[in-house]
Amino acid sequence: MQFKNVKLIYLREMRDQLRDRRTLFLIAVLPLLLYPLLGTSFFQLTQFLQKVEARVLVVGARQLRGADWLPPLIDGDRFALPLFDQPDWHEKIEVLSPRDFPDLANDLRKGKELPTEGKKEQPTPDEVAFDAAAKELLDSGRVEAILVFPNGFEERLVEVRRALVERTAAAGTSFPSPIILYNSPDDKSQVTQLRVLQLLQRWRGEVTEQNLSASNVPVEATTPFELYPRDVAQAQQRQAAVWSKVLPFFVFIWALTGAFYPAVDLCAGEKERGTLETLLTSPALRREIVWGKLLTVMTFSVVTAILNLGSLGLTGKFVIDNLTKAGAFNAIEAMSLPPLPSLLWLAVALIPISALFSALCLACAAFARSTKEGQYYLMPIMLVTMPLMMLPMSPGVELNLGNSFVPVTGMVLLLRSVIEGQYAMAFKFVWPVLGVTLICCLLAIRWAEEQFNRESVLFRESERLELGRWLVHLVRDRQATPSFAQASLCVALILIVQFFVSLSAAAPAEFTFAYLAKMLIVSQLACVFAPAILMTIMLTREPAQTLLLQRTPRWGHLFGVVALALALHPVVVRAAEYIGNLYPIPEATVHAAQQIEGALNSVPDMWGVPGWLIALALMALLPAVCEELAFRGFVLSGFRHVGHKWWAIVLSAVAFGFVHTFLHQKISATMMGVIIGYVAVQTESIWPCILLHTVHNSLQLSVHKAAQIATANPESPLAFLLSGDDPLIYRWPTVALCIAIAAGILWNLHGVRHSRTAEEQLEEARQQQGRRSGVPA
């Protein structure tokens, strides 16, 4: 690859993008205008809310005037001024009485007869009339809330006061209480209800103080001590904690959106303008074209993030300072701009994240037929990246070794630690985060290069979907094996069916083997097996080829996969230990595993078949058959049309891991799925995969029994293989020996000749041509 050509392409694309007024507006002008406009709108909205007045209908207010010792709640047509923490709200809440509504006055006065302990099964005619009148007032907006003091409320207040003065217990356990009626879909009514509730709580506190004073009990007796939390963090540290949660999220979102639209214009836009063919016929290599476009998209991504950050920071600073001066944030410190080191670290982290997002957007844009189609791909990219960016904002999520291996999430957590000044913590995990981010960047760039190397992708024509003709095409023009899209749809259907089955399955009072067996049969046959088999029959012309059933396996392969399963078992057990240390197992998962183990230990003998054999059939054989036919059969056959067997193996393994329930199962299943997928490709038969899967599951179930034997017989060979400290963990010499054996078996499979798909043959021919010409593919 010649960097001179990359530079020429970069300058060409930058020049074309800077000539586009839409791009300049989205990247440079819009960030500078958007946030000041939002700040202006916020001030106008605040002024509008301050002018809004509320009307509250009070029913039964006469009861509050009989006792002269009661502190005032209503003063004329307003609530009492001392009850407001903001005096300006005193004039904005108007108090009305039933006589202000002559047409409904009689029905509204019946509200004093309302029960306060909930609705009766058969309401009285008076209650029905009051409810209808109240609903009419609230729905029409004539009042925002209705406050009702039922009959007997005053007597109850007097009784409580007398009991407190006389040191006796108040009679009765239930008593009438005020009721607030409001209309929850109406925001104004809901806000008014909250304000009235706040006023009543303050008024109740004043009534309590009056009662305590009348009984010669000091008010301080109700609060024997006060709580004074003291924050030892400095103001700069508190502000850094706020910025550390906000800045990485927003900057990465802007980096993603800033990369997407230029990528769509550089790929799908050039397809529509007809300029992509001219660029592809130039002496520049496809890889040089990709890198030139990638640097262009990265430039716009970084510039967009920086401009949005600067505009938001200055606008936010101006808004908060003005609100603080106006007294809106009396208890909150005025935020200052983030410190310069934080902004520098943010700029450094923006480079690899922009490269990752730019490569992803470039690959998706190259796949799109048109600009309109390319814009549709923004939502899937956002759905994938948004949870990764929002996860660090959840409480309790901290930077550790396990989280540092999560793409995007690890970078956000690393930036949080740096902005908060925790440099020792950040330095400890900087290399895992950078390593994972670099690997993701390289994979994304490689994917973008793959898209540009495929003529079928670059020169796809736009087509109008006609549902009827498309369905006829699926059945009439079926291919021998499924397409990549059909395999992806199968995975999606499996996940969706699993989701609804898990929601509909009610947990029993007692977890028995019968319940476990029913759930296993339903989850495997209905969720995994059925979608794959139905799609195989409906969408493929050669079901046997799709499911890898057309070739009889060699005996050597069958014996080899049994030996491979035995050799991999200690490695898998050790890996599970490290996964558990990396991602601590939740108590719910441990409890579920204990329930399953208890149910398996109580399997009864049925039809002359031993219980342990029934458990192996359900836990080992059934999942092996269903999952292998689905993922190493239909899904892997469809994914092999991407043109490279390792992409297909890894993608099918990731899909295989996703269908498992717990996180630790997902990781272990993904790693095991890569090995089984490799076996499927090399042997071209599903039977070795089913056998490998069955033996692996059987060993996982029998390891506890082996541990019991090793513990009971210290001189047995099992005790030599298993660790003495923890019987379930194999010794390191055993693990090393098993790794060598497994590697030898897999290397032996590497030499087996296997058939390739048309896409794989085309890719291999292209690479050989590149090697002969001295140009890297």
Side-chain angles (χ1 to χ4, degrees), residues 78-155:
R78 294 289 188 270
F79 286 102
L81 178 61
L83 299 177
F84 290 88
D85 54 352
Q86 296 183 10
D88 55 336
W89 277 98
H90 174 257
E91 297 296 329
K92 295 174 184 176
I93 300 181
E94 182 181 2
V95 177
L96 304 176
S97 64
R99 65 175 176 270
D100 294 319
F101 306 96
D103 54 332
L104 302 173
N106 293 331
D107 292 336
L108 292 174
R109 292 191 181 97
K110 296 174 182 177
K112 293 184 291 184
E113 306 295 334
L114 284 178
T116 60
E117 298 179 2
K119 285 281 186 181
K120 297 179 180 177
E121 294 184 2
Q122 295 294 334
T124 64
D126 290 344
E127 295 171 5
V128 173
F130 171 76
D131 289 343
K135 190 174 188 307
E136 180 180 346
L137 288 179
L138 292 171
D139 290 344
S140 63
R142 297 166 69 182
V143 297
E144 280 67 46
I146 300 176
L147 176 60
V148 181
F149 292 96
N151 285 335
F153 180 71
E154 179 188 3
E155 289 79 0

Side-chain angles (χ1 to χ4, degrees), residues 307-429:
L307 289 178
N308 276 275
L309 177 62
S311 180
L312 176 63
L314 294 177
T315 304
K317 173 68 174 175
F318 176 77
V319 170
I320 293 177
D321 287 348
N322 280 273
L323 291 176
T324 304
K325 293 177 181 177
F329 293 155
N330 293 330
I332 303 178
E333 296 181 21
M335 292 292 294
S336 61
L337 292 176
L340 182 60
S342 301
L343 299 178
L344 293 177
W345 284 114
L346 201 62
V348 171
L350 190 59
I351 302 300
I353 289 297
S354 295
L356 174 60
F357 290 158
S358 300
L360 289 175
C361 295
L362 197 64
C364 292
F367 186 77
R369 295 183 178 94
S370 61
T371 303
K372 184 177 181 180
E373 180 183 341
Q375 292 174 352
Y376 293 153
Y377 296 150
L378 176 61
M379 185 55 64
I381 296 176
M382 293 287 288
L383 290 177
V384 173
T385 56
M386 280 289 288
L388 297 176
M389 289 186 281
M390 295 182 65
L391 180 62
M393 302 178 69
S394 304
V397 179
E398 299 178 349
L399 180 62
N400 52 41
L401 186 59
N403 291 334
S404 64
F405 287 120
V406 182
V408 182
T409 299
M411 182 63 73
V412 176
L413 291 173
L414 183 67
L415 281 176
R416 279 185 52 183
S417 300
V418 171
I419 295 174
E420 293 175 358
Q422 301 177 6
Y423 295 105
M425 176 70 70
F427 183 77
K428 187 187 302 183
F429 301 108

Side-chain angles (χ1 to χ4, degrees), residues 535-556:
M535 294 186 70
T536 300
I537 296 173
M538 296 173 59
L539 302 178
T540 63
R541 195 177 66 249
E542 298 289 344
Q545 181 182 351
T546 298
L547 300 178
L548 302 183
L549 294 172
Q550 64 179 2
R551 177 168 295 187
T552 303
R554 302 177 185 175
W555 286 104

Side-chain angles (χ1 to χ4, degrees), residues 645-678:
K645 70 176 183 180
W646 279 112
W647 279 103
I649 290 172
V650 172
L651 289 175
S652 63
V654 172
F656 175 61
F658 263 108
V659 301
H660 289 75
T661 306
F662 306 114
L663 175 62
H664 305 79
Q665 286 182 321
K666 294 179 187 293
I667 299 175
S668 299
T670 300
M671 294 187 297
M672 198 67 193
V674 173
I675 297 176
I676 302 178
Y678 180 72

